[in-house]
Amino acid sequence: MTSDILQKARAFEALYGPRIPDSERPAFHATPAVGWMNDPNGFSFYKGECHLFYQYHPYSNEWGPMHWGHLKTRDFLRWERLPAALAPDRDYDSAGCFSGSAVELPDGRQLLMYTGVRRDHNADGFLQDIQTQCVAIGDGMNYEKWEGNPILDGKDLPEGGSTIDFRDPKVWRDKDGTFYAVIGNRTADGSGAILLYRGIKNRKWEFVRTLDRSRNQYGKMWECPDFFPLDGKQVLLTSPQDMSPMGLEFHAGNGTLCLIGDYDSEKGFTRQSAQAVDYGLDFYAPQTLEAPDGRRIMISWMQNWDTVHAKPDPCRWFGQMTLPRELSLRDGRLIQNPVRELEAHRGTRVVHRNIPVGGELSLPGVRGRVLDMTVTVRPTGPELYRWFCVRVAKDGEHETILRYRPDQGTLKLDRARSGLPRDIVHTRSFLVRPRDGEIKLRIILDRYSLEVFVNDGEQAASAVIYTRQEAGAITFEAGGAARIDVEKYELTFDE
Ligand code: FRU
């Protein structure tokens, strides 16, 4: 039964969504039908198609009572809109249907597992959240919330676990058919933990173990976990709130954390390393799926909670997803590269090889705002250049800059002049490693964003930009003498 609240959301998006022209949206990054989008939810295959749900408030471009918006795709680039899937229409989720995930059931139906939030007064009379895990079952379009909801609540927490911060289940079905879910929680020390649960009979779930904990080292609450095998290791992703900066690896505020280790059903998860997932300005709450061809693919909200009030005016949709990325491990680190499907959309190719760069220059055929461009930079001779800059989305007033400093081994992303109307954090620097003296930057532009993949995916950095679309110039400049190769493709999405 579709509730009035869900029907109202579906009618609203059907009326106002189509009024937003395609030219006001990215060409291939997922955006909400109308209004606000945050975390990706339920990123998974169902009946051979990739579904993507998202945290959704259709009625404004600000966060509000959370619904689930719904998209699907066959190529991770072109998104078909489906009606909103969930609305906050039950007592246990009256304050929102928070983040969650999806899985295909053996009987061919699709299970959505999400956090139901209701609000109640605490001992001081203040309103506080009560978060429980709930399910809804459907056919890829319409979903019925289970009458036995919630399936997990405060009773199912390990000792000291918080019922205020217990959210974002990521569910999967193991090879032997058992369902598992990882869920974020806050422990007695006030910081985050990831809990593992197992599905038993009749929609009952049981606590298995705590997989890992922050112990106040990597931020407070750990949100939006994911847990999967990758290239012989086990990866635990989470998005911690209230992080402290750590060198150039982690920045303050909402960050992302990739823990790589081993998993053993007796001993649990043994963490061997910790790194950030994305080193840019806008990236949070990533979620992955295993594609039918075996690829592990990740998508993320391309936004930062701390800067959500910096919006262009007017703004009929707000929030977009990253380009889905193929994951692998190399030398114990997470490697991310754009999904290979992007290559099918490469149009005109422009190549310039071994071009000497000193003062600022542009190259014939190299401009645009929807493109895939790889720039390889090397020294001209034994003497090292001091810095190298590529500027994109440029006109007389605007530019978004990537600046490489070989002496420091840093790449800096700077979007201070990229059309954002607020004085928010606009720059981020991170460590990169040249290979054989070269640094390779694959830059993906899609109207309102820049994503850069360094040295075949060793680092990725994402940022939204709101620079007017006419600002399409691209220039290169070096302090000292460098040589560059540039390979640039327009990206085209015409039917
Ligand atoms: C992360 C998050 C989740 C929560 C959702 C609410 O961005 O805070 O923990 O489920 O957003 O919209």
Side-chain angles (χ1 to χ4, degrees), residues 38-39 55 63 66 98-99 167-168 223-224 284-285 305:
N38 60 290
D39 314 355
Q55 290 285 279
W63 191 86
M66 281 290 106
F98 275 20
S99 281
R167 59 180 174 272
D168 310 334
E223 301 189 306
C224 302
Y284 197 67
W305 279 111

Side-chain angles (χ1 to χ4, degrees), residues 339-353:
V339 278
R340 63 194 64 169
E341 282 80 354
L342 192 65
E343 284 154 40
H345 295 274
R346 285 173 163 178
T348 317
R349 175 173 185 251
V350 175
V351 184
H352 298 276
R353 289 217 190 280

Side-chain angles (χ1 to χ4, degrees), residues 43 45 48 76 175 228-233 288-298 325-329 335 339-341:
F43 184 49
F45 270 82
F76 305 107
K175 282 191 196 68
F228 51 89
L230 189 67
D231 295 340
K233 290 282 171 192
T288 73
L289 58 70
E290 188 183 355
D293 61 11
R295 284 179 293 166
R296 179 61 60 173
I297 296 176
M298 176 178 75
R325 302 172 181 179
E326 296 182 15
L327 301 186
S328 58
L329 295 182
I335 303 297
V339 278
R340 63 194 64 169
E341 282 80 354

